[in-house]
Amino acid sequence: MATLSIGKTVLGEGIPKIIVPLMGNTTEQLINEVNEVKRLKPDIVEWRVDVYEHVDQIEAVQEMISILRKALTDELLLFTFRSHKEGGNKEVPVFYYVELVQAAIRTKKIDLVDVELFTGEKYVKELVETAEENGVYIIMSNHDFEKTPSKQEMVTRLCKMQELGAHIPKIAVMPNSVEDVIKLLEATNTMKTEYADRPIITISMGGTGLISRLAGECFGSSATFGTGNQVSAPGQIPVPELRRALGTLHKFR
């Protein structure tokens, strides 16, 4: 599995990189939150724009991107609109999702953008093309908040993301048993050893899947999500505890 360098951050080697979401609803909340998150020194800050009260106003979103970019001088900025069907806060037509994501990319003030695999291949290809034209890296994602697909299905989805041009394929699934967590870890290792030619991110959510957030260096997941003010998915843990656990595991590797 190859590494990927974005600025000073190298994904795919060593301790998994820490991503912290911004979940503020208002501009004031986001400004306060980003300053608090900076003190945690994450590698990547994810703006979950689907939670933002002005998400339906593209100019307001672009202005907020500018504010966040000025605040985040050392951290990478990831722009994410999580669709309602994949656990997000707001339901919008697909044409607006594409328009919003393209507008964010074209600011050239974000480092990475989340593109959902199941948006539709036509739209995914459009977004990949726009990102490539503007020097923005793509985390292509799929989320299942109800179950864990088969190991083969998870590998197939990650491979499809790779085929469609994702710089970082990502899958997050909900375990209903310990066996589901093992499936996710096995899929991660298989992807790493047999198919991946770039970093990947895999997550088994909830308390049952917590080990997947900590053991990425062992199995092949290149980044993990920790909490700042609010969680963006079940099972995230505060950044200080996450960093200590990742460091301890790395020490004994």
Side-chain angles (χ1 to χ4, degrees), residues 224-236:
T224 188
F225 287 75
T227 61
N229 283 6
Q230 301 180 57
V231 301
S232 61
Q236 292 175 2

Side-chain angles (χ1 to χ4, degrees), residues 76-88:
L76 300 179
L77 177 57
L78 163 61
F79 180 90
T80 298
F81 181 98
R82 181 65 59 238
S83 71
H84 191 261
K85 70 179 184 295
E86 296 206 14

Side-chain angles (χ1 to χ4, degrees), residues 144-195:
D144 191 325
F145 280 80
E146 295 182 0
K147 65 184 184 304
T148 298
S150 69
K151 171 189 168 182
Q152 185 54 53
E153 177 60 24
M154 288 187 280
V155 171
T156 296
R157 291 179 190 181
L158 290 166
C159 286
K160 183 65 175 178
M161 295 172 194
Q162 196 165 258
E163 176 189 323
L164 288 171
H167 296 97
I168 308 170
K170 172 195 171 189
I171 193 164
V173 296
M174 183 64 72
N176 293 307
S177 64
V178 172
E179 287 76 17
D180 281 345
V181 181
I182 293 169
K183 276 194 296 184
L184 182 280
L185 295 174
E186 287 181 339
T188 306
N189 186 61
T190 296
M191 189 70 191
K192 171 189 175 182
T193 57
E194 298 183 25
Y195 301 106

Side-chain angles (χ1 to χ4, degrees), residues 48-154:
R48 277 286 304 274
V49 69
D50 53 287
V51 180
Y52 187 43
E53 64 178 353
H54 299 308
V55 66
D56 55 349
Q57 301 172 33
I58 286 178
E59 288 187 4
V61 170
Q62 291 174 318
E63 185 176 343
M64 194 66 233
I65 289 173
S66 295
I67 292 170
L68 296 176
R69 180 75 282 167
K70 287 178 183 177
L72 298 169
T73 53
D74 298 318
E75 305 83 2
L76 300 179
L77 177 57
L78 163 61
F79 180 90
T80 298
F81 181 98
R82 181 65 59 238
S83 71
H84 191 261
K85 70 179 184 295
E86 296 206 14
N89 186 65
K90 188 175 179 65
E91 191 167 8
V92 299
V94 67
F95 72 83
Y96 183 74
Y97 169 84
V98 172
E99 183 182 6
L100 177 67
V101 174
Q102 286 183 323
I105 292 168
R106 287 174 177 144
T107 66
K108 297 187 179 182
K109 294 177 180 178
I110 60 174
D111 302 291
L112 302 111
V113 64
D114 183 288
V115 175
E116 292 183 352
L117 173 65
F118 290 128
T119 301
E121 191 164 322
K122 171 180 178 290
Y123 300 115
V124 168
K125 288 180 176 178
E126 286 180 17
L127 292 172
V128 168
E129 183 177 355
T130 303
E132 289 177 344
E133 289 171 352
N134 289 276
V136 173
Y137 293 87
I138 301 156
I139 296 180
M140 198 171 294
S141 66
N142 172 236
H143 303 75
D144 191 325
F145 280 80
E146 295 182 0
K147 65 184 184 304
T148 298
S150 69
K151 171 189 168 182
Q152 185 54 53
E153 177 60 24
M154 288 187 280

